[in-house]
Amino acid sequence: MKWSLKVNISALIDQYQNLIFSICYRTIGDYFAAEDLTQDTFLSAYRSLDTFDGENEKAWLCRIAVNKCTDYLKSAKRRQEPMDIADMPELQSKEGLPEQEAYEKVVRNTLLTYCQSLKSPYGEVAVLYFHEENSPEEIAIKLHRKLKTVQTQIYRARSMLQALYRKEEPKWNKDT
Amino acid sequence: MEQGYITDQELLNLIEDVEEHAMLKAPGYLKQQMLQEIRQMEQSQKTTAVKNVRHHIRKQMILYEIKTISGIAAALIILFLMPISAQNQQNMTKEEYYAQQEQSATSGLNKVTEGIMEHVNIITDRVWNLPKKQDVLENDNQKQGPMKEE
């Protein structure tokens, strides 16, 4: 079981990355920090595969993720209550969307708003990469820029977006 | 969230809640980033392992070289400090043989030390411009009378 997990780390990521990312975002409310913590979770899991007993890998991965989120919040000296879905005003759905879809839409719209708020040339790169999930090569072709330039702009846009997420509190978390 | 890590039951509740109400799609580029990190991690582990093996082999080689050189040096020392005459060995008793070994070892050492001291005396005499030893002995002889020459 352990060997198969090691060999199939790719399959493990495919199966659980959405759940782990969702848990991280739900816990800390920061899109890019959630990305980093998701990555850290799977890397830690890969390193600890030898000590894993092979039972209930979902709970095991989620435990790693939650503990990392706790450590992140402690180091950032932030205390945030997990988002209560019922408190999110946008989810009192005007469009009649299911709660799950409405939630995802809110998160995606927030990301898009932040990306669009960046000044050129970072704004358009951020929208194409982080919101529309184009590859750097595709962005370079669309925007007629060099690949290296686009990669640098993605890196810088990410730093700016991280700062925006940390600076602004989530709209639904009015208590902190 | 409470301070400290959540309990197992709270974890299960959180998983259930997220799966029902708060599932998001992870960014598409995230998986590639993770696999790249894992590849880099494996590469650096391999490099470290190879370096450790090379270091170990090199250490073993150095120890082997030291042992070999020490053995050769010891053999040469024994060979030149303690010469054995094959003919004499046949006619000698055990006591005579060991006495001869001791004598040849000590006489060899004495010759070496006498040679070193003679050179040291020459150097110090030159440095301090001291009168030669023979001149001092001749003066002493004149004062004290004839002495037995060694």
Side-chain angles (χ1 to χ4, degrees):
Chain A
M1 180 63 173
K2 293 175 194 178
W3 175 247
S4 70
L5 281 173
K6 205 168 184 99
V7 169
N8 292 322
I9 188 68
S10 177
L12 204 66
I13 292 171
D14 285 336
Q15 193 172 357
Y16 295 112
Q17 66 169 341
N18 289 345
L19 175 60
I20 300 301
F21 179 72
S22 304
I23 286 174
C24 293
Y25 186 81
R26 166 75 186 263
T27 309
I28 58 179
D30 181 332
Y31 190 87
F32 292 97
E35 271 188 22
D36 293 339
L37 290 168
T38 304
Q39 188 165 319
D40 287 348
T41 298
F42 281 102
L43 290 177
S44 291
Y46 184 74
R47 279 186 228 116
S48 314
L49 278 170
D50 290 336
T51 57
F52 175 51
D53 60 8
E55 290 185 15
N56 203 349
E57 59 202 27
K58 182 162 82 172
W60 175 63
L61 281 171
C62 292
R63 167 58 72 187
I64 296 172
V66 165
N67 287 354
K68 286 198 177 286
C69 291
T70 307
D71 294 339
Y72 172 84
L73 289 171
K74 281 180 186 172
S75 68
K77 293 182 183 173
R78 289 180 186 181
R79 296 289 181 267
Q80 287 186 3
E81 291 299 319
M83 293 181 279
D84 192 343
I85 304 299
D87 290 343
M88 295 170 65
E90 292 86 348
L91 290 184
Q92 290 163 17
S93 182
K94 293 171 188 176
E95 298 173 13
L97 289 173
E99 189 180 321
Q100 176 67 47
E101 280 187 38
Y103 173 72
E104 184 155 4
K105 197 171 178 192
V106 166
V107 172
R108 302 286 298 167
N109 283 344
T110 306
L111 176 63
L112 179 61
T113 305
Y114 283 165
C115 289
Q116 287 171 337
S117 71
L118 298 181
K119 291 179 185 175
S120 180
Y122 304 108
E124 50 266 35
V125 169
V127 169
L128 286 171
Y129 185 76
F130 296 111
H131 186 258
E132 296 179 19
E133 296 184 7
N134 288 285
S135 69
E137 291 79 9
E138 288 168 343
I139 296 171
I141 293 168
K142 278 184 187 175
L143 299 181
H144 306 289
R145 295 177 197 174
K146 290 181 184 173
L147 179 60
K148 280 283 182 188
T149 306
V150 168
Q151 287 169 338
T152 305
Q153 287 170 349
I154 288 169
Y155 177 79
R156 288 181 185 164
R158 192 173 197 278
S159 301
M160 293 177 203
L161 289 166
Q162 277 179 308
L164 281 174
Y165 269 95
R166 281 172 201 157
K167 197 172 156 188
E168 295 189 21
E169 292 172 6
K171 293 173 187 174
W172 49 81
N173 196 351
K174 296 175 184 175
D175 294 331
T176 56
Chain B
M1 185 176 286
E2 296 167 3
Q3 289 192 15
Y5 300 130
I6 61 174
T7 62
D8 288 345
Q9 188 55 48
E10 286 170 334
L11 175 66
L12 292 174
N13 293 342
L14 176 63
I15 294 170
E16 197 182 319
D17 190 34
V18 167
E19 282 180 330
E20 280 183 25
H21 303 293
M23 277 298 285
L24 296 170
K25 189 175 167 298
Y29 49 78
L30 199 56
K31 182 183 172 184
Q32 283 307 314
Q33 283 179 5
M34 287 191 275
L35 290 177
Q36 196 176 349
E37 278 291 323
I38 288 169
R39 271 193 289 270
Q40 283 176 356
M41 208 163 61
E42 285 176 341
Q43 189 60 38
S44 72
Q45 280 174 357
K46 278 181 192 170
T47 308
T48 307
V50 166
K51 271 185 189 169
N52 288 343
V53 166
R54 279 185 184 163
H55 180 69
H56 178 73
I57 289 172
R58 190 170 170 76
K59 217 165 73 171
Q60 294 296 315
M61 278 298 295
I62 290 169
L63 281 172
Y64 176 75
E65 283 167 7
I66 290 170
K67 283 180 188 172
T68 308
I69 290 167
S70 305
I72 292 169
L76 285 172
I77 287 168
I78 290 167
L79 184 67
F80 288 110
L81 285 182
M82 303 177 77
I84 298 170
S85 167
Q87 276 186 331
N88 292 340
Q89 204 174 355
Q90 286 172 7
N91 300 328
M92 269 192 258
T93 62
K94 259 191 189 175
E95 289 77 14
E96 286 171 345
Y97 171 72
Y98 285 125
Q100 187 199 47
Q101 296 303 312
E102 193 179 10
Q103 192 180 5
S104 61
T106 50
S107 67
L109 282 170
N110 284 340
K111 281 179 187 172
V112 170
T113 49
E114 276 176 15
I116 292 170
M117 287 313 296
E118 198 172 346
H119 282 291
V120 167
N121 286 335
I122 292 168
I123 292 166
T124 48
D125 289 344
R126 285 180 187 167
V127 169
W128 293 105
N129 293 323
L130 291 172
K132 290 181 186 175
K133 185 179 174 184
Q134 284 178 343
D135 297 335
V136 170
L137 284 174
E138 282 174 8
N139 289 336
D140 284 345
N141 282 338
Q142 286 173 0
K143 287 178 186 173
Q144 295 176 12
M147 286 173 64
K148 278 187 185 177
E149 287 186 4
E150 293 179 6

